[in-house]
Amino acid sequence: MTGAREDAPVDLQEKRQLDLARQVGKVKARTRPWRSIIALVLAVAAAVLSLTASQIFNEHVVGKVVSVAAALVFCLLAVIAVVGFAGKSRDVMQPVTGRAHAAVVRYTIVLAGSIAALFITLGLLNVPLDQLLVGGAVTTIILGIAAQQSLGNVFSGLVLLLSHPFGVGDEVSFRSGAFSGQIEGIVTEIGISYVRVETADGPIRLPNAQVLASAVGPAGQSDQTVPAGQTGQAGQTGQASAQADVGNAPGGSPPAG
């Protein structure tokens, strides 16, 4: 009896801690957009301070230091705001569009927002952007050539998500020479780089570029199909062969005409 009485307060305390943790999680989820909004407002204020620092402070050195510090603070706060808004957009779109599409939207917002924040920061620091753009273009070309296969999978994944030839839960068949024949299974995930398929031999991951280049259809279809245009030709050929056999048979009458 004493042990049961001692266990009851412990269970009640654990339950209260779980409820408190859930409430804290809900509060954090609700306040997450506000943190992003506050970070964005502070980033705009830091950008304004960086532009007007030389006018506010009389000493040139102090104004320069404040301008550089405010530009760096703007970059940090802008990235925080972009990541926060991207995460919130993913949470909002995931129940409607699915996890894969929501992840694509999040990555796009993070990439575009980070690039914009970087260019604005460089502008606040009075860095010449023309030389930077030329160097960035050359670097992008080199990286694109080096990561051609990975980038091909990423862009192919975007095409698969937009064109939607199949969805998660569909039982499909992939036919391609790169797959050494035919692969059948249930699609369990459409990611940025790979498509996860649950087959009879276990789960496998197919690169998006090869999936996009393969023939996709419902599982269980026969590999040998005769096109509709060749059906009539096959019938005429068979009929001609039958007539020739009849004419060549012993005692058989030649075909009319």
Side-chain angles (χ1 to χ4, degrees):
M1 297 293 293
T2 305
R5 292 178 180 177
E6 291 178 355
D7 293 339
V10 175
D11 296 338
L12 183 60
Q13 185 177 1
E14 291 179 355
K15 185 177 180 180
R16 290 178 179 177
Q17 291 178 356
L18 291 175
D19 293 339
L20 181 60
R22 291 174 182 174
Q23 293 178 1
V24 171
K26 291 180 180 180
V27 172
K28 288 183 178 181
R30 293 176 181 176
T31 57
R32 189 178 302 171
W34 292 107
R35 290 190 301 179
S36 302
I37 294 174
I38 293 174
L40 182 61
V41 172
L42 293 177
V44 174
V48 173
L49 178 61
S50 178
L51 291 174
T52 59
S54 58
Q55 301 176 359
I56 296 175
F57 299 95
N58 296 326
E59 297 183 3
H60 178 72
V61 177
V62 177
K64 189 66 175 178
V65 171
V66 172
S67 178
V68 172
L72 297 178
V73 171
F74 162 79
C75 183
L76 178 61
L77 293 175
V79 170
I80 293 174
V82 167
V83 173
F85 283 122
K88 188 60 180 178
S89 63
R90 179 193 59 186
D91 296 338
V92 172
M93 295 185 63
Q94 184 170 350
V96 180
T97 61
R99 184 173 61 180
H101 291 76
V104 171
V105 173
R106 178 180 179 274
Y107 292 147
T108 304
I109 294 176
V110 170
L111 181 61
S114 300
I115 293 176
L118 177 61
F119 277 98
I120 294 175
T121 303
L122 294 176
L124 294 175
L125 295 175
N126 296 325
V127 177
L129 297 179
D130 51 354
Q131 299 178 0
L132 184 64
L133 289 175
V134 174
V138 175
T139 305
T140 303
I141 293 174
I142 296 174
L143 292 177
I145 295 174
Q148 183 177 2
Q149 185 174 2
S150 299
L151 293 176
N153 288 329
V154 172
F155 285 109
S156 298
L158 295 177
V159 173
L160 289 175
L161 291 174
L162 294 176
S163 60
H164 199 68
F166 51 84
V168 176
D170 294 345
E171 188 174 358
V172 297
S173 173
F174 301 96
R175 299 179 182 88
S176 175
F179 297 151
S180 299
Q182 180 176 345
I183 296 177
E184 292 185 356
I186 300 175
V187 179
T188 58
E189 182 183 356
I190 304 175
I192 298 299
S193 299
Y194 295 93
V195 174
R196 183 182 177 91
V197 181
E198 189 73 25
T199 64
D201 298 330
I204 59 174
R205 291 179 179 270
L206 305 178
N208 288 336
Q210 296 181 6
V211 171
L212 188 63
S214 63
V216 182
Q221 286 186 346
S222 177
D223 293 339
Q224 298 179 354
T225 56
V226 179
Q230 297 180 1
T231 305
Q233 298 178 2
Q236 294 176 2
T237 304
Q239 185 177 2
S241 300
Q243 292 177 357
D245 293 339
V246 172
N248 295 329
S253 60

